[in-house]
Amino acid sequence: MNKSESKYFNTALRMDEALLALLEEKDLDYITVKEICHQAGVNRSTFYLHYETIADLVNETLEMVNQRFLSYFPQQEEVVLANMSSREREELVLVTREYLLPYLRFIRDNKKVYRAAFRNPGSMQAHTRYGELKQRILGPILERFEIPAAHHPYYMAYYVEGIIAIVKEWLRQDCTDEVEMIADIIESCVGYGDGRRPCGK
């Protein structure tokens, strides 16, 4: 990356961070280009050099957050799915510490992002991230448990919304409780105390 590209990248990063900071305070509909520029320490012409609209900045910010999120996980999705398909059904766990701990560490290290996402679920496209989780991880696991396909949306809503509720409460506590404690709580809530089998199975 040359000096010009590095400067361009650093300016874009400042605007990403500025947007996240503003989203903690207000809804996206009420954020202006002027406020973003002031928060980032750039002028309006610099903003329009990078983006046509605030929506473009939102898309870039979401991509930046997503890359950060993925970097916390030690294995790729293909490995997760391969491990899942090779395990006996009795060994399957809907929520494992292997993936729960990195997820919770990311939330703790990016509290601002998650507060903004919960404050602005539509504009931050939180449903998209959880949509991937449902389709790629929870869906195949529920199939292995032989849960009827028509029931999947309800099981997924139960588990995902439950985890989100715990995370929201943890954020209200400013993530002061240890990651391991929150993981223990989630694990105890998603199954019969051992994190295994969807409820009702």
Side-chain angles (χ1 to χ4, degrees):
M1 183 183 296
N2 63 39
K3 188 174 180 180
S4 177
E5 289 173 328
S6 177
K7 183 178 178 182
Y8 186 94
F9 175 80
N10 288 334
T11 302
L13 185 60
R14 290 211 320 263
M15 286 191 274
D16 291 337
E17 299 292 351
L19 176 62
L20 291 172
L22 289 166
L23 282 168
E24 270 202 270
E25 301 168 7
K26 59 170 72 176
D27 293 336
L28 182 64
D29 291 344
Y30 299 100
I31 294 175
T32 65
V33 171
K34 180 179 179 181
E35 289 175 308
I36 294 169
C37 292
H38 176 74
Q39 185 81 22
V42 302
N43 57 43
R44 288 176 70 91
S45 62
T46 300
F47 177 91
Y48 288 111
L49 180 65
H50 287 74
Y51 319 101
E52 289 186 19
T53 65
I54 290 177
D56 294 333
L57 172 60
V58 169
N59 290 334
E60 179 188 272
T61 303
L62 288 170
E63 181 59 31
M64 178 266 293
V65 170
N66 191 50
Q67 291 305 313
R68 282 188 195 169
F69 181 72
L70 294 175
S71 73
Y72 272 62
F73 290 83
Q75 295 181 319
Q76 297 299 312
E77 173 191 321
E78 293 77 14
V79 178
V80 181
L81 296 177
N83 288 343
M84 183 181 65
S85 62
S86 65
R87 289 179 180 171
E88 294 297 324
R89 200 173 88 171
E90 293 73 26
E91 296 175 331
L92 286 176
V93 179
L94 272 171
V95 179
T96 68
R97 288 183 86 80
E98 181 180 10
Y99 294 94
L100 189 55
L101 290 175
Y103 169 67
L104 293 172
R105 288 185 187 114
F106 180 80
I107 293 171
R108 179 199 60 200
D109 296 346
N110 296 273
K111 291 182 284 190
K112 186 187 335 183
V113 173
Y114 274 83
R115 287 193 186 107
F118 288 132
R119 183 180 172 86
N120 303 267
S123 59
M124 294 297 286
Q125 300 174 15
H127 65 282
T128 303
R129 172 162 298 121
Y130 290 110
E132 290 290 303
L133 171 68
K134 292 172 185 178
Q135 177 185 345
R136 298 178 182 276
I137 304 297
L138 291 180
I141 290 177
L142 290 172
E143 286 177 14
R144 288 291 310 278
F145 277 115
E146 299 178 3
I147 303 294
H151 298 188
H152 285 198
Y154 299 100
Y155 279 87
M156 291 176 182
Y158 176 83
Y159 286 106
V160 171
E161 294 301 323
I163 291 170
I164 289 173
I166 292 170
V167 166
K168 283 182 177 178
E169 182 58 34
W170 190 38
L171 284 167
R172 273 194 283 272
Q173 306 286 338
D174 199 37
C175 299
T176 52
D177 291 316
E178 294 294 326
V179 164
E180 289 75 11
M181 172 183 159
I182 304 303
D184 288 340
I185 292 169
I186 291 173
E187 284 184 321
S188 70
C189 290
V190 298
Y192 296 121
D194 61 358
R196 300 179 190 278
R197 297 174 299 173
C199 59
K201 290 300 286 182

